Amino acid sequence: MDFKTATALRRLRLVSAPEAVSFLLLLVSSVLKRTTDFNAVPVMGWVHAALFILYLVFWADAWNRTKWGWKTAALYFVLGVLPTGGFFAERKLKREAEAGVIAARARREGVVNV
């Protein structure tokens, strides 16, 4: 895995968990708006929108650099849309990045993957 691909995966990974948290906070804010006088929906809406747009931009960049198939790209997109999916995406991206680094080191050292 080259540096730019690893960076793309890292950026997507780093924005996925905050995006999931913002989605959950937006849902809580929506409930509180309906049940109390507390209204944080406008603020949380903007925060979540900004993080979701970042997630989509980083997702497209990672898809382009890693050459994911349609299934993998669709999985990461769906995980970005689900309320807690960002947490699962973060863990899966971490494993994928670690596997890529190990494979790159093995190629560099001339070790054949078994």
Side-chain angles (χ1 to χ4, degrees):
M1 176 180 303
D2 66 340
F3 180 73
K4 289 184 178 183
T5 303
T7 302
L9 288 176
R10 180 174 164 77
R11 279 193 309 242
L12 181 60
R13 195 179 120 224
L14 289 176
V15 78
S16 63
E19 190 274 333
V21 169
S22 73
F23 195 177
L24 292 174
L25 289 174
L26 180 60
L27 292 175
V28 170
S29 296
S30 296
V31 171
L32 290 175
K33 177 183 176 183
R34 306 274 189 272
T35 58
T36 67
D37 291 335
F38 184 74
N39 185 10
V41 172
V43 173
M44 285 312 305
W46 278 104
V47 169
H48 174 65
L51 288 170
F52 185 67
I53 290 169
L54 275 176
Y55 183 89
L56 289 179
V57 168
F58 294 158
W59 168 78
D61 184 40
W63 184 12
N64 181 40
R65 293 190 187 281
T66 59
K67 307 297 185 221
W68 286 329
W70 282 99
K71 286 183 180 181
T72 304
L75 172 68
Y76 285 120
F77 179 80
V78 169
L79 288 175
V81 173
L82 295 175
T84 59
F87 300 121
F88 296 104
E90 193 275 332
R91 286 180 30 209
K92 191 165 176 52
L93 285 163
K94 183 177 180 180
R95 279 188 246 126
E96 185 175 337
E98 288 172 352
V101 168
I102 291 169
R105 284 183 187 157
R107 279 193 303 274
R108 196 174 7 170
E109 295 172 0
V111 178
V112 178
N113 290 338
V114 177

